[in-house]
Amino acid sequence: MRIDKNQINSLNKKALPDHRESFEYISQRLEGKGISVQKLVQKVQSFQIAIPSWALGTGGTRFGRFPGGGEPRTLEEKIDDVGLLHALNAGSGAISLHIPWDIPKDIAQIKAHAASHKLLFDAVNSNTFQDQADQEHSYKFGSLCHTDAQVRKQAVNHNLEVIRHGEALGSKSLTVWLADGSSFPGQMNFRKALQRTLDSLKEIYAGMPDDWKMFIEYKPYEPYFYHTVIQDWGTSHLLASQLGERAYTLVDLGHHLPNTNIEQIVATLMMQGKLGGFHFNDSKFGDDDLTVGAMKPYQLFLIFNELVEGMQDKESRNPYPAWMIDASHNLKDPMEDLLQSVEAIQLAYAQALLVDRQALEDAREANDPVLAQEILQDAFRTDVRPLIAEARMQADAALDPVAAFRKLNVRENLVRERGKKSMATGL
Ligand code: RM4
Ligand code: MN
Ligand code: MN
């Protein structure tokens, strides 16, 4: 299924009078404060968020999986789904592949297919947390940290192969998330495991093209329950610093223990020029169990407040971060969930752009926490939804993407094309 511009235009036409009214209201208020609304709209338009190829199917838990049908069966169909999302929201113009779940067979054809949807290839992700059927050694007891040099070699080679696939597609970065760790006290030598991981990463780093970046994720638990080798941002930063200039830390919102001050982590990493990428999701209890913004929109805003400050800092050495959604969609239609995710991210970004930075700095210098809170919450409580809708409409996308998804019967069409029982590869 492809969505035609005219279909979107006719849906937009019906919603236009309402939109105009609310957009004019916010425009007047913001212009009155000296904020250029058109500049804001453009910034939102150029903020593109990558969709991971594994997020288009229904996720599951270790207890079960309840797929809804019409899931993409091939890489082409995954690209089609991201294309549909991008047609609806003009904000998800990239796809991030997980190898070996999505090894491109015919590179030229896959590239042309993505280009026909105006999609780019974002970071490629390696997978040494599962054993593949044709694989010689098992990752049961780790990959890059393994005690056996042959297992480490296999894991390094896999990462080098992922880089080659990414290069062919035009990706410019490799994301390494390691499940490596242990489940029982005493099981693993912390120091040796970390040293071996660093040594293995060095080999992968050396195999990256000169214009590539490496992003290193951290995670405090799962799938191992006692320790993970790269447990926190500090460990990731330590590895990235020792690897070299093109290695960075990647922050995944779901990879923190409760109450961690993630916005502070963002600020620290950006100060060091070491924040490479970002994975969005939200959680109440565990990793990536909820849609970003579903639970803690204020935290998301505070994080964006730091991201915007870091991005606007002219002296900062931090590169423009890579943005990706990394969530598991167990109950909702994955595509609807992704539309909601992109919108939540755009809202937090736009609100963070509204923060009066000079006034905030003055309040901080004057040690005035009341005023600082007023300034931040004034931005957070501004309803910027009409701004985001305007950004979409100006880019030929839908004023209301979720409503359009339903009115155009996207899922029903996909079920018709692919069947009720189709299941996407992935988690
Ligand atoms: C991990 C991590 C990685 C993702 C896998 C599927 O928890 O977030 O980024 O690739 O899940
Ligand atoms: Mn992640
Ligand atoms: Mn995760």
Side-chain angles (χ1 to χ4, degrees):
M1 177 195 191
R2 291 239 176 185
I3 296 177
D4 187 49
K5 252 192 215 169
N6 296 326
Q7 291 174 288
I8 290 186
N9 283 343
S10 72
L11 289 175
N12 282 353
K13 246 191 203 146
K14 286 186 203 129
L16 201 56
D18 255 10
H19 167 68
R20 282 266 164 273
E21 205 179 303
S22 40
F23 183 63
E24 262 160 38
Y25 172 75
I26 182 160
S27 298
Q28 267 173 16
R29 284 207 51 211
L30 295 180
E31 297 282 353
K33 290 184 185 175
I35 297 173
S36 159
V37 170
Q38 197 44 42
K39 268 197 193 143
L40 272 175
V41 165
Q42 277 161 8
K43 282 201 170 148
V44 171
Q45 278 171 343
S46 50
F47 194 91
Q48 295 294 318
I49 303 146
I51 305 293
S53 57
W54 63 98
L56 299 152
T58 312
T61 68
R62 62 204 164 99
F63 298 103
R65 189 181 189 199
F66 306 98
E71 291 188 8
R73 296 160 296 185
T74 59
L75 177 54
E76 282 84 346
E77 289 183 353
K78 291 179 184 182
I79 292 172
D80 284 336
D81 282 8
V82 181
L84 287 168
L85 297 175
H86 194 43
L88 289 167
N89 67 15
S92 37
I95 180 164
S96 189
L97 300 190
H98 224 302
I99 309 290
W101 291 337
D102 293 300
I103 296 184
K105 284 181 200 90
D106 183 341
I107 294 280
Q109 188 250 329
I110 288 290
K111 276 177 94 167
H113 196 63
S116 77
H117 286 292
K118 300 197 180 72
L119 299 177
L120 301 172
F121 289 93
D122 207 76
V124 277
N125 303 263
S126 57
N127 177 339
T128 58
F129 50 90
Q130 290 173 323
D131 284 348
Q132 306 303 325
D134 54 352
Q135 164 182 327
E136 202 180 337
H137 306 287
S138 171
Y139 295 133
K140 179 172 177 181
F141 291 105
S143 59
L144 296 185
C145 82
H146 203 281
T147 49
D148 183 342
Q150 285 187 312
V151 183
R152 300 200 296 275
K153 187 87 224 140
Q154 177 182 284
V156 167
N157 286 342
H158 164 70
N159 275 276
L160 296 175
E161 189 199 321
V162 173
I163 294 171
R164 280 196 298 278
H165 287 304
E167 251 193 301
L169 291 169
S171 292
K172 290 283 175 220
S173 46
L174 169 75
T175 298
V176 180
W177 171 65
L178 292 180
D180 294 19
S182 62
S183 281
F184 299 96
Q187 180 192 328
M188 204 179 261
N189 182 315
F190 295 141
R191 293 168 52 157
K192 283 187 184 168
L194 185 57
Q195 183 64 52
R196 288 192 291 251
T197 301
L198 175 60
D199 294 343
S200 306
L201 284 171
K202 276 184 184 159
E203 289 184 48
I204 300 168
Y205 187 89
M208 284 199 310
D210 290 345
D211 58 345
W212 269 54
K213 295 185 195 123
M214 180 191 283
F215 303 144
I216 304 169
E217 275 192 82
Y218 55 92
K219 186 170 174 175
Y221 78 100
E222 204 200 18
Y224 296 102
F225 292 114
Y226 171 63
H227 117 280
T228 51
V229 177
I230 312 178
Q231 65 160 335
D232 56 13
W233 72 272
T235 314
S236 162
H237 180 257
L238 180 151
L239 292 168
S241 304
Q242 300 206 10
L243 285 171
E245 259 180 35
R246 289 177 293 113
Y248 298 87
T249 294
L250 184 146
V251 174
D252 181 315
L253 290 178
H255 294 185
H256 300 89
L257 296 173
N259 301 329
T260 301
N261 192 332
I262 305 175
E263 52 271 31
Q264 187 187 0
I265 296 174
V266 167
T268 307
L269 287 170
M270 287 190 104
M271 179 194 158
Q272 294 297 308
K274 278 293 195 188
L275 177 72
F278 220 89
H279 284 180
F280 293 100
N281 49 58
D282 208 342
S283 56
K284 173 105 174 124
F285 300 112
D287 177 25
D288 58 36
D289 50 4
L290 297 177
T291 317
V292 56
M295 198 59 222
K296 289 168 279 193
Y298 192 50
Q299 184 195 50
L300 185 64
F301 162 78
L302 292 174
I303 289 166
F304 263 102
N305 185 44
E306 297 302 332
L307 289 169
V308 166
E309 177 160 336
M311 288 192 283
Q312 288 180 353
D313 179 358
K314 294 205 175 67
E315 272 150 44
S316 169
R317 290 173 294 127
N318 205 86
Y320 184 73
W323 315 109
M324 193 191 89
I325 294 170
D326 191 6
S328 178
H329 318 282
N330 299 338
L331 290 182
K332 296 178 184 168
D333 182 309
M335 292 177 77
E336 292 192 351
D337 202 349
L338 289 164
L339 291 173
Q340 289 185 315
S341 299
V342 170
E343 170 122 21
I345 295 164
Q346 290 170 328
L347 290 173
Y349 176 50
Q351 288 170 327
L353 289 171
L354 295 184
V355 172
D356 185 338
R357 295 213 169 260
Q358 189 54 52
L360 182 60
E361 261 335 287
D362 292 347
R364 288 165 168 176
E365 292 296 323
N367 296 305
D368 190 342
V370 171
L371 188 56
Q373 179 179 323
E374 292 289 308
I375 292 164
L376 283 185
Q377 294 198 348
D378 181 49
F380 175 66
R381 293 193 165 124
T382 307
D383 184 359
V384 294
R385 287 176 299 174
L387 266 176
I388 311 293
E390 179 71 17
R392 277 192 296 260
M393 192 178 66
Q394 287 188 17
D396 289 324
L399 278 171
D400 184 341
V402 172
F405 181 90
R406 292 187 173 194
K407 288 203 180 110
L408 297 173
N409 297 316
V410 176
R411 181 55 64 191
E412 291 77 359
N413 276 299
L414 294 177
V415 169
R416 204 168 309 131
E417 285 171 16
R418 301 169 183 171
K420 258 198 155 136
K421 292 256 181 285
S422 72
M423 277 249 260
T425 47
L427 284 182

